[in-house]
Amino acid sequence: VCRRRHLCVSLSFLCRKTTQKSSPTNTKNNGKRRERERLSSNHQTLTTTKKKMVKLTMIARVLDGLPLAEGLDTDATLDLEYYKQQAKTLFKKLSSGAVPPSRMSYESGEYFMHYVIENGVCYLTLCDRNYPKKLAYSYLEELQREFADKHGATVDSVARPYAFIKFDTFIQKTKKLYSDQRTQRNLDKLNEDLHDIQSIMTRNINDVLEQGERLDRVENMSGNLAMESKKYAKKAKDLSRQALIQKYMPVIVLVGLFIFVYGFRRFFKAA
């Protein structure tokens, strides 16, 4: 019994000693793990914040869809050419048909396109889906005010694309201000009651472009039908003319021959 008691006491002492030795190590490991989790959380927050920003900005004349300025790409990892082509196609659609809405949002894959039209100029931006609509339109309105003040008087007279490409400097500066929606400046703008933001319609860009393509196909078909109708009308006139000639040609030949013979005989009688 004494041996058993002595053995139990020894084992209990060893367990307490091992626990005391391992506790600092565990505490250190737990601290490292918490630090890694904190850094990972910060990285995810920064990544999310970086993702929720303006990706592309384009300015065009509504009358003919002529591009006037563009925010040059600053992130080489993004391939935005597909969305640029969508924007250019949208500009052409806005320049044809009925008067477009002054504000509109379009869903395009993982992004949203927002545009503002003022004084015949369209200001368009491509943003992450989760980027607040209020900030997007506030950004466009800020660009609109500066562009109208600097170049509004000469917009109608330019003929070459990207005549105001130097406006990119202001675009980049303004885009940085709107890149982080958590700044006090942007939080204040989110709390502002901007002009009819909630009433702005959102549509799918592919539906709009496909609808435009269908309209173009209908117009092409109508044009082709008109050309074919003209061809058939011309052929019908030719056939009608030929039928008249075939019908009256014998009579004309006989009358002509009679006149010739009659005139020939009178000429010889007179001689």
Side-chain angles (χ1 to χ4, degrees):
V1 173
C2 291
R3 285 182 178 178
R4 288 179 181 176
R5 287 180 179 177
H6 180 71
L7 182 60
C8 291
V9 171
S10 299
L11 289 173
S12 176
F13 176 78
L14 288 173
C15 289
R16 284 199 301 272
K17 190 174 183 180
T18 303
T19 304
Q20 289 174 359
K21 287 183 178 180
S22 61
S23 294
T25 304
N26 291 337
T27 302
K28 187 176 182 180
N29 290 338
N30 290 335
K32 288 183 178 180
R33 186 169 64 253
R34 285 195 295 270
E35 182 66 18
R36 285 196 299 268
E37 290 175 355
R38 185 180 67 81
L39 292 174
S40 176
S41 176
N42 290 342
H43 176 72
Q44 290 177 358
T45 302
L46 290 173
T47 302
T48 303
T49 302
K50 185 178 179 182
K51 186 178 179 183
K52 296 179 182 179
M53 62 182 294
V54 175
K55 304 294 184 183
L56 174 68
T57 305
M58 298 183 72
I59 302 174
R61 189 167 60 194
V62 178
L63 180 64
D64 51 6
L66 181 73
L68 301 175
E70 179 180 322
L72 300 178
D73 300 338
T74 56
D75 190 349
T77 62
L78 292 175
D79 184 11
L80 299 175
E81 190 60 35
Y82 171 74
Y83 299 100
K84 287 183 183 180
Q85 293 302 320
Q86 279 191 338
K88 290 178 181 178
T89 304
L90 180 61
F91 290 148
K92 292 181 180 178
K93 301 302 176 187
L94 294 176
S95 64
S96 60
V99 177
S102 61
R103 283 165 174 76
M104 181 71 78
S105 295
Y106 292 99
E107 183 182 5
S108 180
E110 58 180 319
Y111 301 112
F112 267 99
M113 281 185 182
H114 309 283
Y115 79 70
V116 169
I117 295 178
E118 290 288 343
N119 299 321
V121 178
C122 180
Y123 305 85
L124 181 143
T125 184
L126 180 76
C127 303
D128 184 77
R129 292 181 68 92
N130 297 324
Y131 192 80
K133 186 185 286 188
K134 278 188 176 182
L135 286 184
Y137 280 99
S138 178
Y139 166 72
L140 291 175
E141 289 174 357
E142 199 161 331
L143 295 183
Q144 182 271 323
R145 287 191 293 269
E146 181 69 14
F147 189 85
D149 182 58
K150 294 291 180 62
H151 309 295
T154 56
V155 166
D156 294 334
S157 61
V158 297
R160 61 184 178 87
Y162 301 104
F164 308 106
I165 195 63
K166 291 183 179 179
F167 191 71
D168 172 63
T169 304
F170 183 81
I171 292 176
Q172 297 299 335
K173 183 176 70 174
T174 310
K175 187 163 70 172
K176 287 181 181 178
L177 296 176
Y178 285 85
S179 61
D180 188 356
Q181 57 182 306
R182 300 173 305 171
T183 61
Q184 188 60 46
R185 177 182 184 275
N186 291 336
L187 289 175
D188 292 340
K189 288 186 176 295
L190 285 174
N191 293 326
E192 290 178 2
D193 186 16
L194 296 181
H195 177 68
D196 295 334
I197 290 297
Q198 299 301 325
S199 63
I200 295 175
M201 186 182 298
T202 300
R203 299 182 62 185
N204 189 290
I205 188 68
N206 292 322
D207 293 341
V208 176
L209 298 183
E210 288 175 2
Q211 182 183 10
E213 290 176 358
R214 289 195 295 268
L215 291 175
D216 290 341
R217 285 197 295 269
V218 170
E219 290 178 359
N220 292 333
M221 291 175 63
S222 300
N224 293 334
L225 288 173
M227 291 178 63
E228 292 296 328
S229 299
K230 290 180 180 179
K231 289 181 180 179
Y232 286 130
K234 185 177 180 182
K235 287 183 178 179
K237 288 181 180 180
D238 293 338
L239 291 173
S240 179
R241 191 180 301 113
Q242 290 176 6
L244 289 173
I245 291 173
Q246 290 177 356
K247 182 177 180 180
Y248 294 105
M249 181 58 71
V251 177
I252 295 172
V253 170
L254 290 175
V255 172
L257 183 61
F258 174 78
I259 294 172
F260 175 76
V261 172
Y262 179 76
F264 185 76
R265 290 180 64 182
R266 291 196 60 177
F267 175 75
F268 277 103
K269 284 182 179 181

